[in-house]
Amino acid sequence: MRFVYSCFLFISCLSVKAQNNSFYKEKYRPQFHFTPPIHWMNDPNGLVYHKGEYHLFYQFNPFGNRWGHMSWGHAVSKDLLHWQHLPLAIPEEKDTMIFSGSCVTDVANSAGFATDKNQQPMVAIYTAHIEGKNQSQHIAYSLDDGRTWIKYNANPVLDLGKRDFRDPKVFWYAPHRKWVMVVVYPNEKEIKFYTSKNLKQWNLMSSFGPAGDTNGIWECPDLFEVPVKDQPGKTKWVLMHSPAPYMQYFIGEFDGEKFVNDNSNTKIYRPDYGPDYYAAITFNGLEKNQNPISIGWINNWNYANDIPTSPWKSAMSIPRKLCVKKINNEWVLIQQPVEQVKTLRQNEMTWKNITVTKNHRLPLNSQTLELEVEFTAAGETSGVRLAKDNDHFIEIGYDAKKQLLYIDRSKAGTAEFNPSFAKLSRYETAVAATTAKTIKLRIFFDKSIVEVFANEGEAVMTAQLFPEEAAGGIELFSTGKPAVFNMVKFYSLQSAR
Ligand code: FRU
């Protein structure tokens, strides 16, 4: 029955693609950010690199364009940009929804699901959600590289009888030859660390939190080892999670049992300082010496259900390559778009040494672009406006006096769909000028998404905007004194559909 249903959904998605020649031409549809063909999506789940394929599972409603009936949608990719949509992986069942979780390749067959010795089962660990009653951790496995899934017949594998206890991220901790699970108590704002030898019996090791941002409930934890930038062989551990509706991280050490934070427990460090980045997790199964890669959900629970896109809702971030660096005695997460994104570049144009007094319009019109700019922040505020027409634009600017990078979407298009969206229109974060006294921005604009990487990834900001389709002007600006843009590089980016 489940199989028949998932085939039905898959065929209906394909036929949306085949019959509807407006597919991917819909207003606001991102072209190089992952979106589901139809229906509602939230958190990325089960990110794993398995036998040459990147698997992206995601929170998905198979029945509509708002949150509900949560199940795991599925897509695979060879390059993290071009995704092949696959049938529903793990559907909800009766009163039980399939909430967020992770996926591993059980190389040594520790759980015993393999039926012959050459198999390397994939095992998904997720939260089974019974509305208002219970959340417990379940597992399901696949013996055909993720194409079909079987729920373990002795689920749950971890049930404390709690109403809120969710989002298990499991990874292999090689030094102790064991599995580690990080999972949250959302209301208590605590991250729990469990261990297991077989993915079926779990023992509590330690706990972390509350700390940092404790305003909202805590969701979607992840713990991973990260290389230190420019120090070959040196690593730190990052504990990252989503205190609603934003994200934060801690950087320190993990000895296989306990995480110790080396940054302040009271200061808030965010992987993204914009309004629309949530529930990001990293891939399991990457090559040993590769940097971790994360993907986040580009939306915000304050208005997520109401954004004006159809027949799909929500996108995933560009996959980000991670490392850490010590800046002024604090550990900072450094994030860069994965290298592969450069393969989408077309129509490069470069300008050098433009002095901008007020506004300087570039002779371009585009809503699918990458822009690299480097400027000396001499004015009061200076930067770039995108999605520009006569009355509208989104502003990405730097306030030189306050040393703040900001993004302001208050004039960027429709905001009427939800009052919170209009309220949450301006975001800022401290960014220091480089030693050369310049600000370097790498900006991606994709129809209804802007992602900004500042100073080689020391700070990132992601925001949604809903501009008219003709609003594709690009303008450099400076208020107060003129600013010098040493370098401006434009690329239009190809669609990755
Ligand atoms: C985070 C979240 C998770 C939960 C899932 C349900 O966005 O609330 O905590 O597992 O979404 O869809």
Side-chain angles (χ1 to χ4, degrees):
M1 185 57 207
R2 186 178 63 92
F3 182 68
V4 172
Y5 169 74
S6 62
C7 287
F8 164 76
L9 183 85
F10 185 53
I11 290 163
S12 59
C13 282
L14 288 182
S15 67
V16 171
K17 276 173 121 172
Q19 289 162 18
N20 184 349
N21 57 16
S22 64
F23 181 63
Y24 252 77
K25 299 200 180 87
E26 303 98 336
K27 194 174 183 185
Y28 308 130
R29 170 80 85 172
Q31 298 296 308
F32 54 89
H33 285 81
F34 177 86
T35 51
I38 52 171
H39 295 336
W40 165 272
M41 172 179 81
N42 57 291
D43 316 355
N45 295 152
L47 303 182
V48 62
Y49 184 67
H50 172 89
K51 294 195 189 162
E53 284 180 326
Y54 294 95
H55 288 258
L56 164 60
F57 300 89
Y58 51 87
Q59 287 287 282
F60 184 59
N61 179 355
F63 299 105
N65 205 8
R66 298 180 76 81
W67 187 89
H69 302 286
M70 296 326 292
S71 302
W72 277 26
H74 190 195
V76 289
S77 171
K78 296 237 184 270
D79 66 357
L80 290 165
L81 291 175
H82 299 85
W83 294 94
Q84 183 195 349
H85 298 285
L86 292 179
L88 195 66
I90 313 180
E92 74 166 339
E93 209 171 282
K94 296 196 209 98
D95 60 347
T96 307
M97 292 199 231
I98 312 300
F99 270 21
S100 286
S102 49
C103 194
V104 297
T105 302
D106 188 6
V107 179
N109 191 30
S110 67
F113 292 131
T115 49
D116 81 60
K117 67 175 185 337
N118 296 322
Q119 274 167 349
Q120 296 196 338
M122 290 174 83
V123 180
I125 309 94
Y126 58 87
T127 299
H129 168 88
I130 304 173
E131 188 63 30
K133 288 205 177 123
N134 181 265
Q135 292 184 340
S136 62
Q137 315 323 321
H138 285 215
I139 60 178
Y141 61 96
S142 170
L143 301 176
D144 56 3
D145 303 322
R147 271 42 184 189
T148 57
W149 289 85
I150 302 157
K151 289 174 182 150
Y152 175 45
N153 60 16
N155 276 328
V157 293
L158 181 56
D159 182 6
L160 307 180
K162 280 178 83 72
R163 206 192 64 167
D164 291 286
F165 173 45
R166 61 178 174 271
D167 306 339
K169 170 70 196 262
V170 172
F171 65 92
W172 179 246
Y173 186 73
H176 295 177
R177 301 198 53 73
K178 67 183 187 186
W179 300 103
V180 170
M181 177 198 289
V182 285
V183 56
V184 276
Y185 287 8
N187 303 314
E188 296 88 336
K189 295 156 198 180
E190 286 171 15
I191 298 172
K192 301 288 176 189
F193 301 75
Y194 283 82
T195 188
S196 173
K197 288 281 179 197
N198 58 10
L199 297 165
K200 292 172 175 168
Q201 276 95 34
W202 292 93
N203 296 312
L204 181 66
M205 297 191 292
S206 62
S207 180
F208 179 89
D213 181 354
T214 54
N215 290 325
I217 54 164
W218 281 23
E219 299 184 308
C220 301
D222 194 1
L223 174 68
F224 46 91
E225 194 174 9
V226 195
V228 177
K229 196 176 176 188
D230 303 327
Q231 293 189 33
K234 193 155 190 289
T235 62
K236 297 295 286 182
W237 284 82
V238 174
L239 180 63
M240 175 169 98
H241 77 105
S242 298
Y246 305 114
M247 290 197 67
Q248 71 174 341
Y249 65 80
F250 304 93
I251 300 183
E253 296 297 337
F254 179 66
D255 61 2
E257 292 183 7
K258 196 174 181 325
F259 174 80
V260 176
N261 184 23
D262 286 352
N263 277 344
S264 152
N265 262 345
T266 49
K267 186 167 168 187
I268 298 169
Y269 301 84
R270 300 203 189 278
D272 199 292
Y273 290 92
D276 293 305
Y277 190 76
Y278 199 67
I281 52 168
T282 57
F283 275 89
N284 277 324
L286 298 181
E287 301 292 329
K288 205 174 166 308
N289 294 319
Q290 219 183 315
N291 294 54
I293 296 173
S294 64
I295 293 182
W297 176 51
I298 299 191
N299 217 334
N300 180 314
W301 279 118
N302 281 299
Y303 45 74
N305 270 289
D306 297 332
I307 59 169
T309 64
S310 169
W312 84 99
K313 226 172 254 167
S314 294
M316 294 302 179
S317 70
I318 297 172
R320 300 178 182 178
K321 187 178 140 183
L322 313 178
C323 63
V324 295
K325 186 177 161 188
K326 205 165 204 180
I327 305 175
N328 300 331
N329 233 17
E330 299 175 309
W331 286 104
V332 177
L333 184 65
I334 307 290
Q335 302 170 90
Q336 294 277 24
V338 290
E339 282 297 306
Q340 293 90 315
V341 79
K342 293 185 180 159
T343 62
L344 301 176
R345 287 173 169 177
Q346 281 179 328
N347 310 322
E348 175 180 335
M349 290 176 82
T350 308
W351 294 267
K352 290 206 163 125
N353 297 320
I354 310 177
T355 302
V356 177
T357 328
K358 274 180 98 178
N359 311 325
H360 180 100
R361 187 84 177 240
L362 300 180
L364 293 164
N365 202 282
S366 171
Q367 288 193 340
T368 47
L369 63 90
E370 178 185 344
L371 204 62
E372 292 180 290
V373 294
E374 188 176 334
F375 56 99
T376 37
E380 280 159 19
T381 58
S382 35
V384 177
R385 296 186 182 124
L386 296 172
K388 184 153 171 55
D389 63 15
N390 287 340
D391 311 311
H392 303 102
F393 55 84
I394 184 167
E395 188 165 297
I396 301 145
Y398 188 70
D399 182 325
K401 236 202 228 124
K402 296 191 187 141
Q403 305 220 337
L404 289 177
L405 177 73
Y406 66 87
I407 193 159
D408 186 335
R409 64 180 174 190
S410 57
K411 298 191 184 72
T414 189
E416 278 119 50
F417 52 88
N418 182 307
S420 301
F421 187 82
K423 266 193 227 133
L424 301 172
S425 63
R426 189 190 158 93
Y427 283 74
E428 55 188 38
T429 184
V431 169
T434 64
T435 41
K437 299 256 179 311
T438 58
I439 296 298
K440 266 184 167 178
L441 303 178
R442 192 162 165 209
I443 303 170
F444 295 85
F445 176 28
D446 190 7
K447 298 283 184 180
S448 50
I449 295 168
V450 163
E451 268 181 284
V452 181
F453 295 80
N455 289 352
E456 319 281 356
E458 283 174 22
V460 188
M461 291 181 121
T462 302
Q464 295 184 94
L465 64 158
F466 300 99
E468 286 309 309
E469 282 168 293
I474 305 175
E475 182 172 275
L476 313 177
F477 76 94
S478 183
T479 62
K481 283 196 209 139
V484 180
F485 285 71
N486 306 336
M487 203 266 300
V488 177
K489 230 177 220 223
F490 163 90
Y491 308 89
S492 60
L493 294 196
Q494 282 166 42
S495 176
R497 76 164 272 199

